[in-house]
Amino acid sequence: MIKLSNIQKSYKLGKNSLHVLKGINLEIKEGEMVAIMGSSGSGKSTLLNILGILDSQDSGTYFLDSQEIKNLDETKAANYRNKFLGFVFQSFNLISYKTAIQNVALPLQFQKINRKSRQKRAKEFLGMVGLAEWSTHHPNELSGGQKQRVAIARALVTQPRVLLADEPTGALDSKTSYELMELLQKINDSGETIIIVTHEEDIASMCKRIVNLKDGKIVEDKHIKQKLASEYV
């Protein structure tokens, strides 16, 4: 599903250059649930941005579903993101003046799906994350866990091949975090490829594989016996 070969990335800082990713080699198969860990400055967010086609590498190759991702203008990049990728962020990124169902339906507008079909599919995905009865509520009427569930429904409504989650439990308490991970595990069990950036070891232990970054390099890549979030809920 994903293959990265010798990915290098630097950023200009005035006259200096900060070398963030230093030769990343990584393969992720369809249906995996992978945690990317590392301390602040290790390069994990930069790596996620490249995987999400929000940034591009300086050198090296990135294949997504056997297609090389390179030299994309913003329109093509947006099309790839909309077709292949779903995003979940720590800060939820919901639009405050839109209801839950309107937030979930938003990505479908870019696929030129008519309003009735958008609403129907958005309601189905809200139901899938256990929020069908909250579809007409605005974000300020939802708890943190409910907001993140809406964000997950929005990420999945286009039926992407890969779900990318950047610290999805970072703004949540432990109980809500485990409930969210239980949902993500169920989604993964249905065949969805999930990549989670986290600094929390208990969250990483609920994935099936952990990739550790340090100073822009992968220092450890191991498959683990997954802990079931349902045991903690």
Side-chain angles (χ1 to χ4, degrees), residues 34-189:
V34 182
I36 296 175
M37 297 194 75
S39 58
S40 181
S42 61
K44 59 187 188 296
S45 291
T46 299
L47 176 58
L48 196 75
N49 285 340
I50 287 172
L51 290 171
I53 321 179
L54 298 168
D55 201 352
S56 56
Q57 68 271 23
D58 296 331
S59 61
T61 57
Y62 171 20
F63 284 90
L64 174 61
D65 197 34
S66 301
Q67 299 187 52
E68 187 172 3
I69 305 299
K70 67 173 184 178
N71 303 327
L72 301 180
D73 60 35
E74 186 45 46
T75 303
K76 276 189 178 176
N79 286 339
Y80 270 100
R81 285 193 296 269
N82 199 250
K83 181 180 179 184
F84 288 106
L85 305 169
F87 295 89
V88 179
F89 302 95
Q90 178 178 342
S91 56
F92 318 128
N93 285 14
L94 300 178
I95 297 173
S96 60
Y97 59 85
K98 289 186 179 290
T99 62
I101 196 167
Q102 288 171 334
N103 268 284
V104 174
L106 200 59
L108 298 174
Q109 290 185 17
F110 300 109
Q111 295 187 346
K112 297 184 170 60
I113 293 171
N114 67 59
R115 186 178 180 278
K116 189 176 179 182
S117 297
R118 289 201 305 267
Q119 293 288 107
K120 183 174 181 234
R121 199 191 296 182
K123 193 163 188 178
E124 285 173 8
F125 277 81
L126 274 177
M128 188 184 78
V129 300
L131 288 180
E133 295 175 7
W134 295 80
S135 62
T136 58
H137 288 67
H138 288 80
N140 65 354
E141 300 171 300
L142 303 174
S143 68
Q146 288 172 326
K147 288 176 188 174
Q148 198 59 293
R149 284 172 179 264
V150 172
I152 289 170
R154 180 185 59 189
L156 293 173
V157 75
T158 57
Q159 296 174 295
R161 303 290 298 279
V162 181
L163 182 66
L164 300 172
D166 190 2
E167 301 280 4
T169 60
L172 307 175
D173 61 69
S174 294
K175 182 177 183 294
T176 309
S177 295
Y178 297 155
E179 289 171 351
L180 190 78
M181 287 304 295
E182 184 182 18
L183 173 62
L184 289 175
Q185 286 180 341
K186 286 177 181 173
I187 291 166
N188 175 247
D189 288 343

